[in-house]
């Protein structure tokens, strides 16, 4: 494909801005190759949420794969309008064709690796495939250890979810859980089973106390009780990236990384300090909001690590488009008793459906 000098200049400027913003030392030629120099093609992540009467793409009452935590309608959420919004890029159309999707992926295995937001996206994709191919047989989710699998035998498509909230290894030694920031030896054993890998990590990195999933942190031969969590997060991502560069055949395996999914815990950030977090919100915001400086910092670190990798990884840059969707969380409708508040996960149908449409559009791109 011929590339115009204007496009090369645009790409060079884009890379330079990234380098200045994130202070990343990286080979310019490699960086330009990573950022598509076909600048005029559609930016899938610049757009808005539009109301669409044809939505949702599936019904939570019919899809057999949604756990209660994400089944907001089943838990009694009275408003339905939040299901009617579709992500619309500014300069192209983003549409889902579930029949074409499975034709392209026949014989393929898709694996989501990460925390419960990966599960959110995995169950969304299973519902999207099921709704588009309603007569196709399926096997109910089967879980062995940390790996859950949904198989569509007629379609010859397998969807997997491997729970690993931190991507790197956590091992038990002398009764203590040790977070090994420089190892994915145990975690990666199952990754190469897949043809498409979609990774995610962030939300568990800041937890302390009872929610913290480790007792000690180890890097090389050095073991500590704790360290700066952003530094730990970057070290883990760097370890993961090194494994990808050394072990993945990118002509066979497509790799995606789900960007940082935003929370909506603080109504002050969207101009409504009186609201009970995300509870009661029924429409997208007019502008995206930054609920947490930590989320933004984590997103910058992720992009820095991806930019420094040799192998190509498709970033699902979902942070900004998801920041609009204060209405999309379960809030009190993550259970039948309406107890607690969830402003982290997403109702299904909902926002993760758009993430999966972005995966589909990326796979279609030349």
């Amino acid at each position: 494909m011929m590339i115009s000098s204007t496009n090369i200049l645009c790409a060079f400027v884009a890379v330079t801005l990234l380098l200045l913003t994130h202070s990343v030392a990286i080979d310019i030629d490699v960086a330009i190759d990573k950022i598509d120099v076909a600048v005029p093609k559609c930016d899938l992540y610049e757009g808005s949420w539009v109301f669409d009467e044809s939505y949702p793409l599936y019904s939570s009452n019919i899809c057999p794969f949604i756990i209660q935590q994400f089944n907001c309608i089943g838990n009694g959420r009275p408003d339905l309008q939040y299901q009617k919004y579709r992500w619309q890029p500014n300069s192209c159309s983003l549409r889902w064709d579930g029949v074409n999707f499975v034709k392209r992926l026949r014989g393929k295995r898709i694996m989501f690796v990460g925390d419960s937001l990966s599960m959110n996206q995995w169950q969304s994709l299973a519902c999207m495939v099921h709704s588009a191919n309603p007569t196709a047989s399926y096997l109910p989710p089967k879980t062995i250890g940390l790996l859950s699998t949904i198989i569509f035998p007629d379609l010859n498509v397998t969807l997997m979810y491997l729970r690993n909230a931190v991507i790197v290894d956590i091992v038990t030694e002398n009764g203590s859980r040790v977070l090994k920031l420089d190892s994915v030896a145990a975690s990666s054993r199952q990754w190469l089973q897949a043809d498409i890998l979609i990774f995610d990590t962030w939300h568990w990195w800041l937890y302390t106390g009872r929610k913290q999933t480790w007792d000690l942190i180890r890097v090389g031969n050095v073991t500590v009780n704790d360290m700066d969590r952003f530094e730990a997060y970057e070290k883990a991502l760097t370890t993961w990236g090194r494994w990808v560069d050394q072990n993945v055949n990118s002509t066979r395996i497509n790799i995606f990384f789900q960007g940082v999914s935003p929370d909506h815990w603080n109504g002050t950030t969207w101009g409504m300090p009186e609201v009970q977090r995300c509870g009661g919100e029924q429409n997208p915001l007019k502008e995206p909001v930054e609920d947490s400086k930590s989320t933004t910092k984590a997103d910058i670190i992720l992009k820095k690590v991806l930019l420094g990798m040799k192998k190509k990884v498709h970033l699902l840059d979902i942070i900004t488009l998801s920041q609009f969707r204060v209405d999309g969380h379960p809030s009190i409708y993550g259970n039948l008793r309406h107890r607690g508040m969830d402003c982290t996960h997403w109702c299904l149908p909902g926002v993760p459906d758009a993430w999966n449409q972005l995966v589909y559009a990326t796979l279609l791109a030349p």
Side-chain angles (χ1 to χ4, degrees):
M1 178 180 69
M2 296 297 293
I3 301 169
S4 73
S5 59
T6 301
N7 287 347
I8 293 175
L9 177 60
C10 290
F12 182 82
V13 170
V15 172
T16 302
L17 288 173
L18 280 168
L19 295 175
L20 291 173
T21 302
H22 306 318
S23 301
V24 185
I26 187 170
D27 187 292
I28 288 291
D29 292 330
V30 172
I32 288 177
D33 183 62
K34 284 179 173 293
I35 297 177
D36 264 323
V37 293
V39 175
K41 89 176 180 184
C42 175
D43 185 343
L44 297 172
Y45 301 95
E46 289 289 334
S48 60
W49 291 94
V50 298
F51 191 82
D52 190 330
E53 279 290 358
S54 69
Y55 267 50
L57 295 172
Y58 53 88
S59 168
S60 60
N61 295 325
I62 296 175
C63 181
F65 309 116
I66 305 175
I67 62 170
Q68 184 178 42
Q69 185 180 2
F70 308 147
N71 189 359
C72 302
I73 300 300
N75 291 327
R77 181 167 177 169
D79 62 300
L80 304 178
Q81 185 162 308
Y82 74 93
Q83 300 181 102
K84 295 287 187 180
Y85 287 95
R86 170 174 57 82
W87 178 249
Q88 175 60 58
N90 289 334
S91 55
C92 63
S93 179
L94 183 66
R95 293 289 184 175
W96 168 251
D97 184 341
V99 174
N100 184 55
F101 178 81
V102 298
K103 281 183 179 178
R104 287 175 171 270
L105 296 184
R106 192 167 185 82
K108 304 293 186 182
R109 298 159 67 91
I110 303 174
M111 180 183 288
F112 294 85
V113 182
D115 56 27
S116 51
L117 285 157
S118 275
M119 180 194 287
N120 222 172
Q121 189 177 0
W122 170 64
Q123 293 185 355
S124 161
L125 183 59
C127 290
M128 292 167 72
V129 169
H130 178 262
S131 177
N133 304 271
T135 62
S137 62
Y138 64 87
L139 302 181
K142 182 178 181 180
T143 300
I144 300 176
L146 298 175
L147 180 65
S148 299
T149 304
I150 298 171
I151 300 175
F152 294 88
D154 295 346
L155 306 176
N156 197 10
V157 170
T158 301
L159 306 180
M160 298 177 287
Y161 163 61
L162 181 63
R163 180 165 180 82
N164 183 348
V166 293
I167 288 186
V168 291
D169 294 338
I170 297 179
V171 299
T172 300
E173 296 180 0
N174 300 320
S176 294
R177 299 165 300 172
V178 182
L179 174 64
K180 300 178 70 175
L181 295 178
D182 58 353
S183 173
V184 293
S187 307
S188 62
R189 289 172 184 167
Q190 293 167 299
W191 297 352
L192 293 178
Q193 297 177 20
D195 302 285
I196 297 173
L197 282 161
I198 303 174
F199 291 93
D200 140 69
T201 185
W202 166 241
H203 281 270
W204 286 84
W205 284 94
L206 296 185
Y207 284 136
T208 57
R210 295 177 64 183
K211 284 191 173 183
Q212 183 176 299
T213 58
W214 65 84
D215 303 305
L216 302 169
I217 299 175
R218 179 177 298 159
V219 183
N221 296 321
V222 178
T223 303
V224 296
N225 290 323
D226 205 354
M227 66 187 299
D228 179 87
R229 298 303 179 85
F230 291 103
E231 181 182 353
Y233 171 68
E234 183 169 354
K235 286 182 181 295
L237 287 175
T238 301
T239 297
W240 165 84
R242 186 181 306 115
W243 180 89
V244 170
D245 282 341
Q246 294 175 353
N247 294 278
V248 170
N249 178 355
S250 54
T251 61
R252 187 185 75 82
I253 300 177
N254 276 293
I255 299 185
F256 292 81
F257 209 107
Q258 181 199 99
V260 178
S261 175
D263 301 319
H264 289 96
W265 289 101
N266 183 2
T268 302
T269 61
W270 60 90
M272 297 185 68
E274 71 280 6
V275 304
Q276 187 184 13
R277 304 188 176 103
C278 63
E281 296 292 338
Q282 298 184 15
N283 296 288
L285 300 171
K286 293 182 179 179
E287 298 291 337
V289 296
E290 180 187 61
D291 187 73
S292 168
K293 298 289 185 183
S294 297
T295 301
T296 302
K297 186 173 181 179
D299 191 62
I300 290 173
I301 291 171
L302 171 60
K303 289 172 180 173
K304 171 186 172 182
V305 171
L306 295 183
L307 192 60
M309 291 175 60
K310 297 175 183 177
K311 296 288 175 67
K312 186 169 184 177
V313 176
H314 304 287
L315 172 64
L316 296 176
D317 198 4
I318 61 171
I319 183 169
T320 300
L321 69 89
S322 303
Q323 284 173 338
F324 286 96
R325 295 306 306 274
V326 66
D327 59 321
H329 301 287
S331 66
I332 64 171
Y333 299 107
N335 59 78
L336 289 169
R337 295 185 177 184
H338 302 167
R339 292 181 178 177
M341 178 70 66
D342 184 353
C343 298
T344 295
H345 300 97
W346 304 94
C347 296
L348 296 179
V351 172
D353 304 338
W355 303 350
N356 285 318
Q357 286 178 283
L358 293 165
V359 171
Y360 175 54
T362 303
L363 291 173
L364 288 179

